[in-house]
Amino acid sequence: MKKYSGIIMVGLLALLIGLIVSVQVNTTQGSDPGGLIPLAKAQGLEAELKKVRAEKEAATQRLIELEGLMEDIQKKKAEEDSTLKSILNEQEKYKMAAGLVEVKGSGIIITLDDPEPDEFSDGYSYLMTNYELLLNLVNKLKDAGAEAISINGQRIIATTEISLAGDNVNINTIPTAPPYQIKAIGNPDTIEATITIRYGIIENLKKSGVHVDIVKQGEINIPRYNGILKFRYAQPIVEEEKE
Amino acid sequence: MDEYRVAIESEKQSILQIEERILETENKLEEYKELAAEDKDTDLFSDMQNKLDEYKLVSHSTAVKGEGVSIYLDDATRALMEEEPVGNVLVHDSDLLTILNDLYGAGAEAVSVNGHRIANGSSISCSGYTVRINGQFEARPFRIKAIGASDRLASTLLGPDGYGTLLKDYGLIFKLNMEEEVEIPAFPEEHSYRYMLIRKEGETN
């Protein structure tokens, strides 16, 4: 028995220290989030993030270059042929309707961030567990005449799904997390008035403690849908020889 | 720490998407170069026409048919329990939004609600006793059609955690049929925009 007493003592002490540390971590996190993150680890992640961002930038540049070359060939041919030219113009129109081009215009930028954690919070993000709020907000924006919408860089198209996948909210299957930056192109005044209506979605968000920031802007940019849009099941219904 | 993890994962997945598009564009470019060099204008012409048809298809500007599901949704017919809010037995716009979101999550490519094709700008909003879809007023019952893998579409809504199951638990009427072929009309309007313009790649403000 005696030979175990030391171990038990050490065990108890360890437990106590563990408790103290965890209480300490909890209280510190509330007032200063990130304050206890080991600096080296954060720096490592920061470096990794920079690296993948640079990789993405390089890939994007390559894509722009290729698309430019492609456009050159098409435009050169289109100059010789007016039918080709009209096809090119039509292509542009439907690409825009499909969300396959980057767009700019007047609009609104809404930033949503989680409420500060209090003694009742369970450690989960309010905005992520209530992701249907994003769904409703997108719907309201469209109702207010928004012509293009993005959330954290993800272009919202008809087939976009917003879903809780594990610890993340996936938008267009890409993981996202708060703070959420929602951009919408349209009439800034109409959009603002629609969402800030009394008892409306923004008021409800604020009541739940969500930090809301709304900025109207003369010009904002919204990225294109990043994936490849291809239908496998939906086939066009061909009307008999439409010319 | 979590923000870093999500941000890194998000960027990595975006890179995969971009790489996929690079590959596609490279192949297309090779093809176009050959066609241009050999002066095969008719081939170039038909290819560009095909591409145009594809853009029309994915912008929901074409009537489509294919495998999918049809859903019938109506208010509950049961009596209210004591002090139960009436909203519990009615179909709301948020119900329709959630069903659509779940269908898209299961890979739905085209969806219509009471015959209105859902396109990028479509909204579904409650206005009193009716629901406005694409600016048109509709009332219960709701008929939703979706094209995609019918077993996936069905199981996402009818599974134990499915939203259709939840609605049924509340007594609402939710019927889903898997269909070999459903037809969905095109989005009826011209796509015209008052506020947004195409932003050329690399353009700065």
Side-chain angles (χ1 to χ4, degrees):
Chain A
M1 192 60 219
K2 193 156 189 199
K3 67 174 171 179
Y4 291 119
S5 68
I7 297 176
I8 291 172
M9 204 57 194
V10 169
L12 280 174
L13 267 176
L15 198 71
L16 194 66
I17 291 171
L19 267 173
I20 292 170
V21 168
S22 75
V23 167
Q24 190 69 20
V25 167
N26 264 332
T27 37
T28 320
Q29 259 179 356
S31 56
D32 175 29
L36 274 181
I37 292 177
L39 197 57
K41 191 149 191 209
Q43 280 172 340
L45 285 170
E46 176 69 37
E48 193 183 341
L49 184 60
K50 273 200 182 126
K51 201 179 123 235
V52 285
R53 287 221 165 118
E55 261 174 53
K56 184 173 136 190
E57 189 51 38
T60 309
Q61 281 310 319
R62 170 87 182 125
L63 187 61
I64 291 173
E65 203 179 294
L66 286 168
E67 280 173 345
L69 289 171
M70 188 103 142
E71 225 171 83
D72 288 346
I73 297 180
Q74 289 176 335
K75 285 220 171 107
K76 215 171 132 220
K77 287 286 169 191
E79 269 166 35
E80 304 161 10
D81 191 330
S82 61
T83 328
L84 273 186
K85 194 171 176 142
S86 75
I87 293 180
L88 259 186
N89 287 339
E90 286 276 283
Q91 276 193 4
E92 200 137 277
K93 186 175 117 193
Y94 287 104
K95 267 168 105 168
M96 198 162 163
L100 290 172
V101 285
E102 191 178 2
V103 287
K104 60 176 181 182
S106 64
I108 196 162
I109 301 178
I110 307 158
T111 314
L112 303 178
D113 206 352
D114 273 320
E116 264 95 34
D118 56 24
E119 68 231 75
F120 303 113
S121 55
D122 46 14
Y124 291 105
S125 154
Y126 176 82
L127 286 170
M128 280 161 88
T129 43
N130 295 283
Y131 67 92
E132 72 275 2
L133 291 170
L134 292 176
L135 215 57
N136 278 324
L137 182 56
V138 165
N139 189 55
K140 288 278 180 299
L141 292 171
K142 288 178 183 172
D143 203 25
E147 295 175 342
I149 301 168
S150 70
I151 302 181
N152 285 16
Q154 287 305 315
R155 177 73 168 266
I156 306 300
I157 59 172
T159 51
T160 293
E161 107 282 15
I162 302 178
S163 62
L164 197 61
D167 286 344
N168 301 319
V169 167
N170 281 5
I171 303 179
N172 292 336
T173 72
I174 303 285
T176 64
Y180 283 108
Q181 190 191 51
I182 299 118
K183 292 189 191 175
I185 291 180
N187 183 324
D189 296 325
T190 310
I191 294 176
E192 193 200 27
T194 306
I195 56 174
T196 56
I197 193 168
R198 284 188 65 201
Y199 303 108
I201 186 158
I202 292 296
E203 202 178 297
N204 285 337
L205 282 167
K206 282 184 178 163
K207 263 188 213 144
S208 310
V210 172
H211 297 275
V212 183
D213 181 51
I214 299 176
V215 183
K216 293 189 272 185
Q217 223 154 288
E219 182 164 315
I220 57 175
N221 302 326
I222 290 187
R224 55 159 282 171
Y225 176 76
N226 235 330
I228 290 180
L229 261 186
K230 273 214 166 69
F231 288 172
R232 286 175 51 215
Y233 293 89
Q235 300 297 323
I237 297 174
V238 189
E239 295 164 50
E240 73 275 357
E241 296 307 347
K242 208 179 77 184
E243 268 306 294
Chain B
M1 213 68 102
D2 258 12
E3 296 96 83
Y4 277 122
R5 189 179 50 78
V6 177
I8 291 168
E9 189 50 33
S10 169
E11 297 290 346
K12 276 185 180 166
Q13 301 226 17
S14 299
I15 292 174
L16 288 181
Q17 286 185 329
I18 294 169
E19 278 171 350
E20 218 178 316
R21 276 168 55 205
I22 288 179
L23 204 65
E24 196 189 51
T25 316
E26 275 175 344
N27 291 338
K28 227 33 253 136
L29 189 61
E30 276 313 304
E31 208 180 297
Y32 272 39
K33 271 185 188 160
E34 260 171 51
L35 293 178
E38 293 166 30
D39 245 359
K40 285 186 181 159
D41 283 0
T42 45
D43 290 354
L44 191 71
F45 181 91
S46 69
D47 190 273
M48 282 173 64
Q49 183 65 49
N50 288 343
K51 205 80 195 140
L52 172 59
D53 290 341
E54 226 176 86
Y55 291 137
K56 278 188 184 172
L57 183 68
V58 297
S59 62
H60 309 279
S61 316
T62 313
V64 287
K65 59 177 180 187
E67 179 191 332
V69 295
S70 62
I71 295 166
Y72 178 92
L73 179 65
D74 203 350
D75 298 341
T77 50
R78 69 172 169 86
L80 284 174
M81 284 177 276
E82 213 175 317
E83 307 214 356
E84 187 185 11
V86 68
N88 275 8
V89 292
L90 304 180
V91 178
H92 297 277
D93 50 0
S94 56
D95 295 326
L96 293 169
L97 283 181
T98 306
I99 291 172
L100 260 48
N101 188 55
D102 290 353
L103 287 170
Y104 290 129
E109 296 171 345
V111 175
S112 70
V113 180
N114 286 21
H116 301 289
R117 175 73 170 268
I118 304 301
N120 282 10
S122 296
S123 63
I124 296 177
S125 4
C126 221
S127 41
Y129 294 102
T130 51
V131 166
R132 208 169 67 245
I133 306 163
N134 289 351
Q136 312 263 342
F137 289 94
E138 289 292 334
R140 52 160 287 267
F142 296 101
R143 290 183 172 84
I144 302 169
K145 287 183 185 177
I147 294 179
S150 52
D151 49 351
R152 274 187 72 197
L153 299 177
S155 62
T156 190
L157 288 168
L158 292 178
D161 296 329
Y163 199 71
T165 310
L166 179 83
L167 292 176
K168 279 200 226 177
D169 287 345
Y170 271 90
L172 270 74
I173 297 166
F174 182 92
K175 288 181 195 148
L176 183 146
N177 279 321
M178 287 163 69
E179 312 273 2
E180 253 166 59
E181 186 170 297
V182 291
E183 290 194 2
I184 293 180
F187 184 74
E189 288 160 51
E190 268 293 300
H191 302 282
S192 62
Y193 303 103
R194 284 178 58 202
Y195 297 95
M196 72 170 174
L197 295 164
I198 292 180
R199 182 173 183 267
K200 290 290 164 207
E201 308 260 14
E203 186 183 311
T204 48
N205 296 331

